[in-house]
């Protein structure tokens, strides 16, 4: 596909938009629950959910209600004043996690950027100016700002933007020896996605996470979990770290936190967060009242009795279905993997047209690395809806043999 769009509703050709995305040939105009519609009235079952964002479904009535109500009350004031929705969301996050302080921002990259700045300030305060290195993993994705691109362990995102900011080391995933080798008194933090999302739904092993925790404890460095994609109930627990043997020092959140209304958060215990003193970091829109009104409903819903148990069950159901497909087509499918409702099947060969072919059949799903189909449906997806995607895959997969 080229950057030109054959869709007049997208602004005609040439498109007035920066050509930074390879877009699907559709203009989406409306959403409800797990479904979206394009400008031609075609319906799609959404297993992309705005990239793991619309977890409570498109235009969730309670979220929309909260946004509307807040928009009639107070849309924005500076963070130089207190606002109630922000404090309420922070209290909910604290109540359900190891953390007791929250910094609000607007996006995933900004949450990770904040964590990186916290790590540098912590390193400098505790160990002096030579303690600034951040170790992250190959295949990781942490955002598109210069620092988060430098932390990202995929050269494709860095190419053409060099020189990268200094102080970022990358090590292969699940290789404890390599991590030990990279760690030193210069290490301010180890940054990990507990399951790599953009990297192709790759879980980091419990042993590796325990080793990272132990190294951080030994060096008095920060263990940062980037849960921008896998936090907020995606894996079947509110935070992905809850299913690992470790507790991190810092967690980054965004994507599903506002169910589509932009909001990010970075949280830590007070003895860590206090290393960002007044004036050291800020965000004009961060924790905006309207965004926090949305996030409050999201957190209340995710933590309501039984909600996450259902996510876990549906995740098992979907994983079993994909696993069975992988078993029946071993020549085409390398493996199925996932946790909760972040699931993937990896093909043996590139299947670059798979996204478009699924779209032709009325499904949205994401292809990463040309051969990994990543499925992150709204967490309210039903087993019937999962079945219909499995049926479509059952028809498509044999055509790649
Ligand atoms: C999407 C993502 C980011 C970046 O989030 P933006 O809101 O696009 O800035 C960072 N880390 C992870 C793990 C992500 O999946």
């Amino acid at each position: 596909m080229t950057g030109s769009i054959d869709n007049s509703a997208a602004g005609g050709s040439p498109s007035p938009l920066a050509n930074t995305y390879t877009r699907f040939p559709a203009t989406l105009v409306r959403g409800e629950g797990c479904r979206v519609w394009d400008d031609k009235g075609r319906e799609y079952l959404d297993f992309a959910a705005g990239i793991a964002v619309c977890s409570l479904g498109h235009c969730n009535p309670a979220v929309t209600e909260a946004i509307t109500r807040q928009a009639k009350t107070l849309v924005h004031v500076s963070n130089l004043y207190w606002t109630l929705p922000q404090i309420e969301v922070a209290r909910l996050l604290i109540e359900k996690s190891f953390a007791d302080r929250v910094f609000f921002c607007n996006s995933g990259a900004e949450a990770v950027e904040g964590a990186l700045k916290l790590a540098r300030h912590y390193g400098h305060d505790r160990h002096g100016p030579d303690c600034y290195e951040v170790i992250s993993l190959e295949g990781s994705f942490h955002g598109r700002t210069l620092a988060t691109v430098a932390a990202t362990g995929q050269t494709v995102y860095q190419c053409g933007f060099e020189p990268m900011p200094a102080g970022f080391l990358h090590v292969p995933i699940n290789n404890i020896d390599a991590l030990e080798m990279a760690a030193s008194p210069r290490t301010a933090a180890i940054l990990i996605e507990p399951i790599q999302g953009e990297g192709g739904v790759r879980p980091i092993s419990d042993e590796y996470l325990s080793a990272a925790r132990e190294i951080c404890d030994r060096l008095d460095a920060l263990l940062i979990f980037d849960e921008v994609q896998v936090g907020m109930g995606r894996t079947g627990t509110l935070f992905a770290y809850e299913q690992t043997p470790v507790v991190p020092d810092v967690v980054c959140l965004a994507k599903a936190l506002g169910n589509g209304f932009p909001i990010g958060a970075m949280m830590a215990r007070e003895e860590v967060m206090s290393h960002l003193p007044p004036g050291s970091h800020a965000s004009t829109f961060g924790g905006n009242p309207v965004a926090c009104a949305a996030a409050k409903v999201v957190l209340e819903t995710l933590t309501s009795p039984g909600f996450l148990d259902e996510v876990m069950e549906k995740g098992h159901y979907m994983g079993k279905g994909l696993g069975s497909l992988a078993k029946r087509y071993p020549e085409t499918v390398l493996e199925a993997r996932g946790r909760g409702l972040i699931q993937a099947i990896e093909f043996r060969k590139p299947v670059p047209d798979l996204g478009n072919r699924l779209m032709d059949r009325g499904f949205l799903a994401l292809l990463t690395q040309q051969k990994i189909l990543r499925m992150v449906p709204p967490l309210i997806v039903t087993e019937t809806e999962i079945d219909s995607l499995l049926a479509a895959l059952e028809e498509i997969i044999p055509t790649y043999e």
Side-chain angles (χ1 to χ4, degrees), residues 107-109 141-143 193 198 226 228-229 255:
S107 67
F141 180 84
H142 297 295
E193 293 165 87
E198 307 298 313
D226 179 349
V228 167
Q229 185 154 162
K255 289 200 164 87

Side-chain angles (χ1 to χ4, degrees), residues 275-310:
H275 289 271
L276 283 180
S280 64
H281 192 50
S283 173
T284 296
F285 296 120
N288 168 288
V290 183
C292 284
K296 184 175 174 226
V297 175
V298 170
L299 280 162
E300 285 171 348
T301 308
L302 292 179
T303 56
S304 65
F307 188 96
L308 291 172
D309 299 331
E310 272 189 40

Side-chain angles (χ1 to χ4, degrees), residues 123-367:
H124 291 186
D125 291 350
R126 308 269 306 183
H127 309 290
D130 291 335
C131 179
Y132 60 85
E133 284 181 355
V134 173
I135 303 173
S136 57
L137 304 191
E138 290 175 6
S140 63
F141 180 84
H142 297 295
R144 300 289 202 147
T145 64
L146 265 181
T148 57
V149 156
T152 290
Q154 301 184 62
T155 48
V156 57
Y157 294 108
Q158 302 169 346
C159 225
F161 298 112
E162 299 88 350
M164 284 293 117
F168 293 90
L169 277 63
H170 301 102
V171 292
I173 73 169
N174 294 332
N175 180 335
I176 295 173
D177 290 341
L179 184 60
E180 288 281 6
M181 296 270 286
S184 79
R186 288 186 306 279
T187 306
I190 300 176
L191 169 63
I192 299 177
E193 293 165 87
I195 301 171
Q196 292 186 340
E198 307 298 313
V201 189
R202 297 182 197 282
I204 308 303
S205 74
D206 283 352
E207 300 71 44
Y208 190 85
L209 295 177
S210 297
R213 177 71 273 174
E214 196 269 313
I215 291 168
C216 285
D217 289 344
R218 190 184 343 129
L219 296 172
D220 184 29
L222 299 179
L223 181 60
I224 304 169
F225 272 14
D226 179 349
E227 295 208 16
V228 167
Q229 185 154 162
V230 296
M232 301 312 292
R234 177 58 53 190
T235 64
T237 46
L238 188 59
F239 303 106
Y241 78 79
E242 295 174 65
Q243 290 179 65
T244 76
V246 307
V247 176
D249 300 303
V250 182
V251 164
C252 305
L253 299 169
K255 289 200 164 87
L257 181 55
N259 204 51
F261 207 96
I263 179 168
M266 189 265 286
M267 55 186 202
R269 282 170 288 112
E270 162 62 8
E271 64 257 41
V272 172
M273 197 68 95
S274 60
H275 289 271
L276 283 180
S280 64
H281 192 50
S283 173
T284 296
F285 296 120
N288 168 288
V290 183
C292 284
K296 184 175 174 226
V297 175
V298 170
L299 280 162
E300 285 171 348
T301 308
L302 292 179
T303 56
S304 65
F307 188 96
L308 291 172
D309 299 331
E310 272 189 40
V311 172
M312 198 74 98
E313 279 165 33
K314 290 183 288 193
H316 282 306
Y317 183 80
M318 191 169 171
K320 239 172 67 188
L322 294 169
S324 147
L325 278 175
K327 259 208 199 88
R328 273 176 293 126
Y329 300 103
E331 252 108 82
T332 316
V333 178
L334 178 68
E335 75 169 345
R337 57 177 181 259
R339 191 176 295 164
L341 283 172
I342 177 165
Q343 295 283 339
I345 47 175
E346 178 162 356
F347 289 78
R348 290 188 185 276
K349 291 193 206 121
V351 287
D353 63 343
L354 180 57
N356 280 310
R357 290 182 64 189
L358 280 169
M359 226 176 148
D360 288 342
R361 286 163 187 267
F363 296 93
L364 305 188
L366 306 159
L367 198 65

Side-chain angles (χ1 to χ4, degrees), residues 30-111:
R30 190 166 72 82
E32 188 184 325
C34 295
R35 291 180 159 69
V36 292
W37 288 265
D38 69 16
D39 60 340
K40 307 205 170 66
R42 276 210 66 187
E43 179 180 311
Y44 302 91
L45 198 46
D46 190 0
F47 281 78
I51 314 194
V53 166
C54 303
S55 284
L56 303 186
H58 293 277
C59 297
N60 176 282
V63 176
T64 299
E65 219 279 306
I67 289 173
T68 311
R69 195 171 355 106
Q70 187 59 46
K72 290 177 183 168
T73 311
L74 182 70
V75 171
H76 177 81
V77 290
S78 163
N79 275 314
L80 297 173
Y81 306 92
W82 304 95
T83 55
L84 296 175
Q86 200 176 107
I87 290 169
E88 288 173 338
V89 174
R91 283 203 204 287
L92 287 170
L93 286 170
I94 286 164
E95 191 186 305
K96 302 293 178 188
S97 74
F98 70 91
D100 50 29
R101 294 291 184 270
V102 184
F103 175 85
F104 285 110
C105 51
N106 307 285
S107 67
E110 208 187 341

